[in-house]
Amino acid sequence: EAGVTQFPSHSVIEKGQTVTLRCDPISGHDNLYWYRRVMGKEIKFLLHFVKESKQDESGMPNNRFLAERTGGTYSTLKVQPAELEDSGVYFCASSQDGWYGLNYGYTFGSGTRLTVV
Amino acid sequence: SQQGEEDPQALSIQEGENATMNCSYKTSINNLQWYRQNSGRGLVHLILIRSNEREKHSGRLRVTLDTSKKSSSLLITASRAADTASYFCATAAQRSASKIIFGSGTRLSIRP
């Protein structure tokens, strides 16, 4: 079974540019989560999809961030325009259902390291 | 606001020694999970302890939970170079939890 896959693994962009991160969850997992770790600080929750619907987007920092999950399969996280403080590692996780992840742990991808210069 | 806070922020020990990391949290929880992040890699789930458990073992890992103090500890015995990583605790709140909340992590370095 393929794990959670994130693309790209690294991205270096200039301030003001647009970047799109992609996450492919484990097949059949309805729940998809985005987290990020900025400046080596704590890992912060961004949002949670159930299929194609945004269940919880309370962690999205501002309207420069747009997450989509059309069709309920893979998800994209677009940052437009990127700012210096967006640099960090963006993680994606999936679980077959919300209960399972909460009670048995989540499967995370390898993350995308975003550097804004 | 962050839920979990790890202590210490950084820890450097000799290979073969034991490493202990602590996590404190604020709200009542359903369970507490520990994850590891190796440099340049993703988060790996290590172990989960439920609120009605006090201690749990998995290989060289030992986790304790004290709900009265809202704290947990992760012990890694007989450390190896491959244990060098950042370790995070994450909590699932007791009521209407839909996600886990991470702490700030402990950076563990194992010296050869």
Side-chain angles (χ1 to χ4, degrees):
Chain A
E1 177 184 72
V4 177
T5 308
Q6 292 188 244
F7 305 98
S9 57
H10 294 85
S11 181
V12 181
I13 62 170
E14 292 185 351
K15 176 183 172 181
Q17 288 185 324
T18 298
V19 63
T20 300
L21 314 180
R22 172 169 168 154
C23 170
D24 286 57
I26 293 173
S27 178
H29 281 197
D30 287 340
N31 288 258
L32 187 149
Y33 307 80
W34 284 98
Y35 286 81
R36 73 171 182 173
R37 188 182 188 205
V38 172
M39 299 294 288
K41 295 183 179 177
E42 72 265 31
I43 299 170
K44 287 193 172 181
F45 168 79
L46 295 177
L47 87 160
H48 169 205
F49 281 101
V50 177
K51 296 184 179 179
E52 66 273 11
S53 299
K54 293 176 185 175
Q55 183 77 8
D56 180 353
E57 52 183 330
S58 61
M60 294 290 266
N62 52 61
N63 59 11
R64 294 186 295 103
F65 289 76
L66 175 64
E68 294 180 320
R69 194 183 181 196
T70 306
T73 54
Y74 69 90
S75 173
T76 58
L77 180 64
K78 180 190 289 187
V79 185
Q80 179 183 29
E83 299 290 344
L84 299 178
E85 64 264 25
D86 300 330
S87 295
V89 182
Y90 290 75
F91 296 103
C92 174
S94 73
S95 68
Q96 57 197 52
D97 58 53
W99 181 88
Y100 187 89
L102 284 170
N103 287 276
Y104 290 94
Y106 295 85
T107 301
F108 280 85
S110 297
T112 293
R113 181 172 293 278
L114 174 64
T115 303
V116 183
V117 297
Chain B
S1 61
Q2 67 189 55
Q3 166 74 321
E5 195 165 326
E6 282 88 341
D7 167 55
Q9 290 186 341
L11 178 63
S12 179
I13 62 173
Q14 203 76 29
E15 189 169 14
E17 293 180 337
N18 296 341
T20 299
M21 290 159 272
N22 302 296
C23 167
S24 60
Y25 57 92
K26 298 176 181 176
T27 64
S28 296
I29 61 170
N30 185 43
N31 65 61
L32 186 144
Q33 307 176 27
W34 284 90
Y35 288 80
R36 181 187 70 219
Q37 184 200 1
N38 292 88
S39 180
R41 298 190 177 183
L43 287 162
V44 175
H45 179 260
L46 296 176
I47 193 166
L48 180 151
I49 186 165
R50 304 190 190 285
S51 60
N52 61 353
E53 297 176 310
R54 292 297 166 258
E55 188 172 312
K56 201 163 184 180
H57 298 253
S58 176
R60 294 184 296 112
L61 306 180
R62 174 177 165 256
V63 171
T64 62
L65 180 65
D66 187 336
T67 53
S68 67
K69 295 181 179 178
K70 290 186 168 59
S71 68
S72 173
S73 68
L74 172 67
L75 168 68
I76 303 174
T77 60
S79 63
R80 304 168 182 169
D83 295 330
T84 294
S86 290
Y87 291 80
F88 298 88
C89 68
T91 54
Q94 195 171 56
R95 290 191 176 86
S96 63
S98 61
K99 58 186 180 285
I100 55 173
I101 304 297
F102 285 89
S104 52
T106 292
R107 175 69 188 165
L108 175 65
S109 299
I110 308 299
R111 303 189 304 271

